[in-house]
Amino acid sequence: MNQGHEYPNWLELPPELTSSILNRLGVMEILESAQKVCRSWRRICKEPLTWSKIDMRNVGHMGGSSHELEKICRHAVDRSQGGLVEIEIWHFATHDLHNYIADSSSKLRSLKLAMCYLIENEGLIEVIAKLPLLEVLEVSYCSLSGEPLESIVPSSCPNQMTFGENCDDVALAIAEILPGLTRLQLFGNRLTNVGLNAILDRCPNLEYLDLRQCINVDIVGDMERRCYERIKVLRRPNDPVDDYPYCVSDVDEMSEEYYGNYSAASDYSDTGEDLGF
């Protein structure tokens, strides 16, 4: 061993740099590991900048019910103190949690949801209507069923559109409410060419569009030409899913695992201290 070699002292890094590094960890890694390293890291882990990005992907394997995970997510949102910019949740998001995030995070620019079967059409649209700065929206294998959305979209939205069949409601509302989108993923959604046309009409900044497993969309002829004129990266309904972050064939199994006992989950306090953080 080279006795003259000096290893960097990570505790001497500027707090802003440490916060940037911690920001790349998942919520559970920060709460259960990073903030317990030392007093300095614990202080930084409680600063809002560390929570500008919240990553709660694939956290079920760490144990705990969906109800517990929702409490933890709320605690993470609270720590951001309104500075949340990006959030990604798999499996456990609910209508109440979704609204809590939107009401607390007016600066949110990226919202990614996967396999969140407790969120319905009206819940999703009610939330995105509160997030005018949203640029990235990814919704994968969420049930998105429920009542029609005419009464959900706020009257303050200009150029109100007429909502059609339920399968296009989400796409039409996205087009109406989120003209600033640059990236949109609707993996496994039921939209048709009607909804797709609305998105192309009203989202001029859209560069990435993922419609894999959207079996009601028919990208041929004029629609194909229009998509390739407008969109830099287009993932078509029948494109391969091998780069998808989870196995599509496991979706139903994971749904049962996460939601089968949701109603029987224990009640926990909202405070981070009672959660052990």
Side-chain angles (χ1 to χ4, degrees):
M1 178 180 295
N2 185 355
Q3 298 295 329
H5 182 76
E6 294 185 3
Y7 293 94
N9 185 345
W10 295 102
L11 299 181
E12 294 180 354
L13 289 175
E16 297 81 5
L17 182 56
T18 302
S19 181
S20 177
I21 294 171
L22 294 176
N23 195 246
R24 290 163 170 76
L25 300 178
V27 167
M28 305 303 288
E29 293 170 305
I30 296 174
L31 294 178
E32 295 188 347
S33 299
Q35 73 172 9
K36 298 178 181 179
V37 170
C38 62
R39 290 182 178 178
S40 175
W41 277 32
R42 183 171 180 82
R43 185 185 68 253
I44 294 172
C45 285
K46 289 192 173 185
E47 293 179 354
L49 183 62
T50 303
W51 301 94
S52 62
K53 179 180 179 181
I54 292 176
D55 180 357
M56 296 201 72
R57 295 174 292 169
N58 202 27
V59 292
H61 69 280
M62 298 181 180
S65 68
S66 296
H67 192 73
E68 290 176 283
L69 294 174
E70 180 173 338
K71 295 289 187 182
I72 292 170
C73 186
R74 286 175 181 252
H75 179 60
V77 171
D78 289 343
R79 284 196 177 188
S80 76
Q81 295 184 23
L84 181 62
V85 177
E86 302 177 32
I87 188 167
E88 182 166 3
I89 301 175
W90 288 13
H91 306 293
F92 66 88
T94 64
H95 175 69
D96 288 343
L97 175 60
H98 215 178
N99 262 298
Y100 189 82
I101 293 168
D103 291 338
S104 307
S105 313
S106 61
K107 298 178 182 179
L108 194 68
R109 295 184 180 273
S110 177
L111 173 63
K112 300 179 181 181
L113 305 170
M115 296 175 289
C116 297
Y117 297 103
L118 298 178
I119 293 178
E120 297 184 340
N121 273 350
E122 58 268 32
L124 177 62
I125 303 307
E126 182 180 349
V127 165
I128 63 176
K130 301 176 181 179
L131 301 171
L133 299 182
L134 206 61
E135 296 177 356
V136 176
L137 177 62
E138 297 187 5
V139 183
S140 304
Y141 285 111
C142 299
S143 61
L144 297 184
S145 60
E147 297 301 319
L149 301 175
E150 291 93 331
S151 61
I152 302 299
V153 178
S155 58
S156 58
C157 285
N159 304 318
Q160 280 290 101
M161 298 178 63
T162 300
F163 291 93
E165 295 298 323
N166 187 262
C167 55
D168 278 311
D169 276 353
V170 169
L172 292 173
I174 287 171
E176 175 66 26
I177 300 170
L178 301 175
L181 280 182
T182 61
R183 180 184 177 95
L184 175 62
Q185 180 185 80
L186 292 174
F187 202 108
N189 192 266
R190 298 182 298 162
L191 84 161
T192 70
N193 281 25
V194 172
L196 178 55
N197 263 317
I199 290 170
L200 294 175
D201 284 342
R202 294 176 174 265
C203 298
N205 301 323
L206 195 62
E207 298 181 348
Y208 178 98
L209 180 60
D210 188 346
L211 298 173
R212 283 177 292 175
Q213 305 293 310
C214 296
I215 60 175
N216 295 330
V217 172
D218 191 17
I219 304 180
V220 296
D222 290 342
M223 177 61 78
E224 182 177 38
R225 175 186 55 78
R226 191 176 186 210
C227 284
Y228 281 113
E229 286 177 352
R230 283 285 322 283
I231 307 299
K232 291 183 179 179
V233 179
L234 175 66
R235 308 300 297 271
R236 300 168 68 113
N238 293 322
D239 279 359
V241 297
D242 51 338
D243 63 337
Y244 209 48
Y246 44 78
C247 178
V248 175
S249 62
D250 291 339
V251 168
D252 290 337
E253 179 181 342
M254 287 186 286
S255 172
E256 177 65 23
E257 176 185 352
Y258 277 82
Y259 298 111
N261 297 317
Y262 186 86
S263 61
S266 299
D267 190 18
Y268 288 84
S269 171
D270 289 329
T271 64
E273 287 75 13
D274 289 343
L275 286 166
F277 307 126

